[in-house]
Amino acid sequence: RTSTKQVFDNLHGNISLDPLACEFVDTEEFQRLRDLKQLGLTYLVYPGAVHTRFEHSLGVYWLAGEAMNNLRMYQGNELGIDRVDVQTVKLAGLLHDIGHGPFSHLFEHEFLPRVFPGSTWSHENMSALLLDSIVDKHEIDIEADHLKIVKEMILASSKFATTKSVKEKYFLYDIVANGQNGIDVDKFDYIGRDCRACGLGCNFQYWRLLQGMRVMGDEICYPAKDYLSIHKLFTTRADLHRTVYTHAKVKAVELMLVDALLEANEYLGIALHAQDPTDFWKLDDTIIKSIETAPNSELEKAKSIIQRIRRRELYKFCNQYSVPKENLEHFKDITAQDIVCSQKSSKVLLKEEDVAVSNVKIDLTRGKDNPLESIKFFKDFECDEKFPITDERVSHLLPAYNQDRIVRVYAKKPELVEAVSEAFENLQLRMYGEKTQVHDTPRKKRIRFY
Ligand code: DTP
């Protein structure tokens, strides 16, 4: 195959796909990304959030190409960037998300660990496995070394990071998934795309960073004058997490869908598909419809949960608790059992299956440190010195904490709201000797957002 293809993307405009990229795109495994919504179930609260991993992957492919072209233009000789490097990084961008399961993070972090406790499954690892399977099945003509590097790049920021076969050009591994400082073209794309889809303003301009990036001592550095753009990247991402991805109602729907998937798992073998890369492409967000329309009588329970989602009879939010900064380090996730065990009055005797708990974690970056501390800047293109930004310069911009832990508690039936809320308050008293509610108005008068 020799021809390129043009795709018009609503964020970046015209994207040119090279012939090798086209071979991957025109497979059922890649086309499956059209049936994976980028933000999982968030569209049930933000109706515009129906964009998919398909357009995001094309966007990351394009941005990876732009980053590489800029580096090649300004530092091409010095860094020894060749055509194969550019193509490898672009392919890693294109294929970095092919291993995501239905509803992405829900599948990986909420569903699979419940089926296989202690599971080490990750979408990055599945992307790498799937890549081998696509190349075999579709007989894609790509050199084994080339393929190996694409996989290494996809795994670069994950716990599965292996060797780096490209010696002396380690920065290539930081373009798509940056394990060093978290600034990568994956974020450039999804921050803009997610804000737009949800109708939120986006003040972060990725193109400033794309144009300003420079490799110094194998590390991607940015012009000191652009530190505000980097700050905006992390704060916009945190804002998206707080207001969109972890919205209390989104979490209620997620808790319900996990319950439905667990009920259906045995009959539909959902988790088993995730173990086999040749089978994995069959699994996508349409699993909801498959459950709803399945003839199996064993699926009645799963169906009724999905019907409740459709009819908006959601698990009822009772209350939430923000873990104080000093307790973050040793905080253990709260379980439904913890809540049930904290019940004192026995007007209604709660059971574990009456309660749902969401332990929300929001990190401004990986780890608890200020993300700006791990980024190196330079004064201008004539200077070869790199330095971190000084504390005084950013202190007034920083949020109080770089990490948030919020425990949200839900009653699965409306009539249990009072009992679950009471038990949760008892638990807080037991843990910290005080009730540290986020809402400070009495429960009955509180205004709730639905
Ligand atoms: P990061 O490096 O920012 O942590 P990542 O996990 O490496 O991102 P992904 O593409 O797998 O990259 O995840 C980011 C995308 O998924 C982004 O569009 C936001 C969305 N997302 C993240 N968490 C959630 C969530 N809990 N619910 C819904 N969408 C989410």
Side-chain angles (χ1 to χ4, degrees):
R1 208 198 281 219
T2 51
S3 63
T4 56
K5 265 189 191 169
Q6 308 295 323
V7 184
F8 195 82
D9 174 56
N10 66 4
L11 192 64
H12 305 303
N14 221 22
I15 294 178
S16 210
L17 287 170
D18 65 58
L20 183 57
C22 285
E23 291 204 48
F24 282 99
V25 170
D26 294 339
T27 60
E28 52 276 30
E29 289 82 0
F30 192 89
Q31 293 293 317
R32 161 184 175 273
L33 297 179
R34 292 183 191 268
D35 286 317
L36 290 188
K37 291 195 181 64
Q38 177 73 13
L39 303 188
L41 291 165
T42 304
Y43 74 102
L44 291 171
V45 174
Y46 290 85
V50 288
H51 55 307
T52 67
R53 296 260 162 203
F54 182 84
E55 60 225 72
H56 166 65
S57 300
L58 296 185
V60 178
Y61 167 84
W62 184 81
L63 288 175
E66 289 295 290
M68 289 301 289
N69 289 339
N70 279 340
L71 289 176
R72 200 175 177 195
M73 185 152 60
Y74 297 112
Q75 296 183 275
N77 291 337
E78 174 198 341
L79 300 173
I81 300 175
D82 56 31
R83 204 185 46 79
V84 177
D85 293 332
V86 178
Q87 195 180 41
T88 314
V89 175
K90 286 171 77 177
L91 273 185
L94 183 73
L95 301 163
H96 77 290
D97 269 353
I98 49 170
H100 263 301
F103 313 99
S104 314
H105 295 268
L106 174 148
F107 188 79
E108 181 169 347
H109 301 298
E110 314 291 340
F111 169 70
L112 277 184
R114 296 273 297 275
V115 183
F116 304 121
S119 150
T120 54
W121 194 94
S122 84
H123 74 272
E124 292 98 342
N125 207 26
M126 181 48 94
S127 294
L129 295 171
L130 204 49
L131 200 43
D132 282 330
S133 153
I134 296 174
V135 168
D136 275 356
K137 178 171 163 191
H138 300 277
E139 298 177 353
I140 294 178
D141 188 14
I142 178 171
E143 279 180 29
D145 282 352
H146 193 172
L147 181 65
K148 183 167 171 238
I149 298 167
V150 174
K151 288 190 287 183
E152 288 173 358
M153 285 179 180
I154 292 173
L155 294 169
S157 71
S158 77
K159 55 180 183 285
F160 294 96
T162 48
T163 47
K164 292 182 173 167
S165 311
V166 184
K167 299 292 173 214
E168 289 157 10
K169 284 192 260 184
Y170 287 153
F171 67 90
L172 293 177
Y173 290 87
D174 294 335
I175 306 277
V176 171
N178 191 330
Q180 317 299 319
N181 60 28
I183 306 181
D184 49 44
V185 296
D186 178 28
K187 284 195 186 60
F188 291 0
D189 186 88
Y190 82 63
I191 289 177
R193 207 174 285 282
D194 295 354
C195 282
R196 171 186 289 222
C198 297
L200 307 178
C202 182
N203 205 345
F204 159 66
Q205 291 164 337
Y206 68 77
W207 55 265
R208 282 195 73 92
L209 301 182
L210 263 189
Q211 286 172 357
M213 61 169 62
R214 176 181 171 193
V215 176
M216 299 169 83
D218 230 352
E219 187 177 8
I220 300 177
C221 306
Y222 293 91
K225 66 180 166 53
D226 284 340
Y227 76 95
L228 277 176
S229 295
I230 293 180
H231 184 263
K232 277 181 198 154
L233 178 149
F234 287 109
T235 49
T236 311
R237 176 178 173 276
D239 197 39
L240 278 165
H241 272 277
R242 290 192 186 107
T243 54
V244 178
Y245 314 149
T246 64
H247 187 287
K249 199 107 285 192
V250 172
K251 285 287 156 196
V253 184
E254 284 184 4
L255 289 164
M256 296 180 79
L257 187 66
V258 170
D259 282 352
L261 292 177
L262 290 170
E263 288 292 339
N265 184 42
E266 197 184 320
Y267 307 102
L268 300 182
I270 303 167
L272 287 180
H273 283 311
Q275 308 306 309
D276 179 359
T278 59
D279 231 15
F280 190 67
W281 67 276
K282 296 173 188 162
L283 209 50
D284 59 36
D285 291 359
T286 59
I287 185 79
I288 294 193
K289 194 59 102 192
S290 307
I291 295 174
E292 274 180 309
T293 55
N296 316 38
S297 58
E298 297 90 343
L299 289 180
E300 283 317 314
K301 223 165 162 187
K303 283 183 195 182
S304 74
I305 300 174
I306 292 174
Q307 194 174 69
R308 278 186 64 180
I309 297 176
R310 300 285 193 208
R311 295 180 181 178
R312 210 72 178 176
E313 295 159 4
L314 305 184
Y315 292 171
K316 290 280 176 209
F317 175 67
C318 296
N319 216 335
Q320 66 179 28
Y321 168 72
S322 266
V323 181
K325 191 179 176 213
E326 57 277 15
N327 298 328
L328 281 174
E329 197 88 17
H330 304 291
F331 188 76
K332 211 177 107 303
D333 282 355
I334 301 291
T335 62
Q337 192 184 34
D338 294 330
I339 308 284
V340 172
C341 293
S342 302
Q343 202 184 12
K344 280 189 184 146
S345 65
S346 52
K347 250 186 285 163
V348 196
L349 203 59
L350 289 174
K351 296 194 283 297
E352 251 182 75
E353 57 267 33
D354 296 328
V355 183
V357 185
S358 172
N359 289 279
V360 175
K361 297 189 177 84
I362 302 170
D363 290 333
L364 201 56
T365 181
R366 271 157 214 228
K368 60 181 178 347
D369 299 327
N370 165 11
L372 286 169
E373 279 167 11
S374 56
I375 294 151
K376 295 286 182 351
F377 294 87
F378 58 90
K379 189 160 164 277
D380 54 47
F381 285 89
E382 271 68 54
C383 288
D384 284 337
E385 191 199 342
K386 53 179 179 174
F387 48 84
I389 209 80
T390 53
D391 276 356
E392 319 86 76
R393 201 144 185 204
V394 291
S395 57
H396 61 290
L397 299 166
L398 294 176
Y401 315 130
N402 295 310
Q403 287 184 310
D404 268 359
R405 294 282 176 274
I406 304 167
V407 183
R408 296 221 179 89
V409 176
Y410 299 80
K412 293 195 183 178
K413 296 181 199 137
E415 62 274 20
L416 298 176
V417 169
E418 205 69 17
V420 175
S421 302
E422 244 167 53
F424 185 35
E425 280 167 15
N426 293 338
L427 178 68
Q428 289 173 51
L429 278 169
R430 213 180 68 207
M431 282 166 59
Y432 301 114
E434 59 174 320
K435 225 171 28 183
T436 328
Q437 275 177 227
V438 170
H439 302 291
D440 50 9
T441 44
R443 204 178 317 128
K444 279 186 189 131
K445 287 193 196 139
R446 210 178 299 136
I447 299 169
R448 297 232 179 88
F449 293 93
Y450 286 92

